[in-house]
Amino acid sequence: MILASKSPRRKEILENFGFNLKIKTKEIEEVSSEEDIIEKIKDISNKKAYEIANENKNEFVVSADTIVCIDNKILGKPKNQEDIYNMLRKLSGRSHEVITAFSIININKNIYYSDVEITKVFFNEISDSEIKWYIDTKEPFDKAGSYGIQGKGALFVKRIEGDFFSVMGFPLGKFLRSLKKLNIDLNCLEKL
């Protein structure tokens, strides 16, 4: 199976389950003309998979895209420390949604599938000194919403409703159920 993502978290989640992965990525502009937030991130996930699948028509290609959404606004990856500060201030003491879309494509088998998982995350109140400390760890710079639940960002999380792995960047449970729907046998994991 080809993972069309540079995310070490996605790689870790899938390999820990037993998938034999090759990593192949292409730089794409992560934009979509879709209006609806769900359709927008599914579209971006599909674009990532198609780019690789078109050159690997006999392979299963998997991709994903994760966003943080609060007040109907998308919080992507921060550009700088000010972005991190502003995002974490906005998330402090509130709940937000982490939306992860994934796609699986195998062109020769005519498989084109995409789905989405939405998890609600509740944050504790965050102090300015905690935000400064977190920025100094360098962890938030490549994370949607400026935090990683699996790392030091766990300090901010009060609780979640939904899939922990989705917040990490890949909804493993829904992905596995999707493979079953597509009649892809989990006994063939090492071959995927």
Side-chain angles (χ1 to χ4, degrees):
M1 184 165 76
I2 297 173
L3 177 60
S5 173
K6 293 179 197 163
S7 165
R9 293 162 296 280
R10 290 185 183 125
K11 180 179 184 283
E12 176 188 349
I13 291 166
L14 288 163
E15 283 183 341
N16 282 347
F17 193 79
F19 287 100
N20 182 16
L21 299 176
K22 292 177 255 180
I23 309 295
K24 293 186 181 180
T25 61
K26 286 198 165 194
E27 292 301 317
I28 68 155
E29 197 175 359
E30 294 190 22
V31 294
S32 171
S33 58
E34 298 287 340
E35 293 293 320
D36 179 73
I37 289 174
I38 303 282
E39 294 307 313
K40 188 180 293 271
I41 68 159
K42 281 172 77 173
D43 185 40
I44 291 168
S45 177
N46 280 328
K47 285 178 182 178
K48 290 177 183 180
Y50 280 123
E51 280 295 315
I52 302 302
N54 282 330
E55 296 174 0
N56 300 274
K57 291 182 175 17
N58 201 35
E59 299 262 6
F60 286 95
V61 178
V62 175
S63 63
D65 194 53
T66 301
I67 59 148
V68 170
C69 187
I70 189 165
D71 300 330
N72 285 324
K73 290 190 173 57
I74 294 173
L75 303 183
K77 293 178 183 174
K79 295 178 185 68
N80 52 41
Q81 290 185 10
E82 184 181 352
D83 257 6
I84 295 168
Y85 177 84
N86 291 334
M87 285 187 206
L88 293 176
R89 279 266 58 64
K90 183 173 264 218
L91 297 173
S92 177
R94 300 182 61 200
S95 67
H96 60 275
E97 291 179 329
V98 176
I99 306 168
T100 299
F102 66 89
S103 304
I104 182 165
I105 296 173
N106 184 307
I107 291 175
N108 285 353
K109 293 184 186 303
N110 202 30
I111 293 172
Y112 301 88
Y113 186 85
S114 186
D115 206 343
V116 67
E117 182 74 51
I118 302 172
T119 300
K120 198 165 190 177
V121 180
F122 298 81
F123 263 28
N124 296 303
E125 291 287 339
I126 307 170
S127 69
D128 281 356
S129 64
E130 288 171 326
I131 293 174
K132 183 189 178 322
W133 167 82
Y134 191 52
I135 288 171
D136 289 345
T137 71
K138 307 288 188 236
E139 185 179 273
F141 285 91
D142 69 336
K143 312 279 191 293
S146 296
Y147 77 94
I149 193 170
Q150 73 286 354
K152 294 174 180 73
L155 168 70
F156 309 136
V157 179
K158 188 176 201 174
R159 66 185 171 91
I160 71 167
E161 290 176 2
D163 183 342
F164 174 83
F165 290 110
S166 185
V167 181
M168 253 181 92
F170 195 82
L172 183 63
K174 187 167 255 190
F175 176 71
L176 296 171
R177 290 188 298 277
S178 299
L179 292 182
K180 191 174 177 180
K181 270 192 232 174
L182 296 167
N183 295 316
I184 298 170
D185 189 354
L186 289 181
N187 290 319
C188 301
L189 277 182
E190 67 280 349
K191 296 177 196 146
L192 284 182

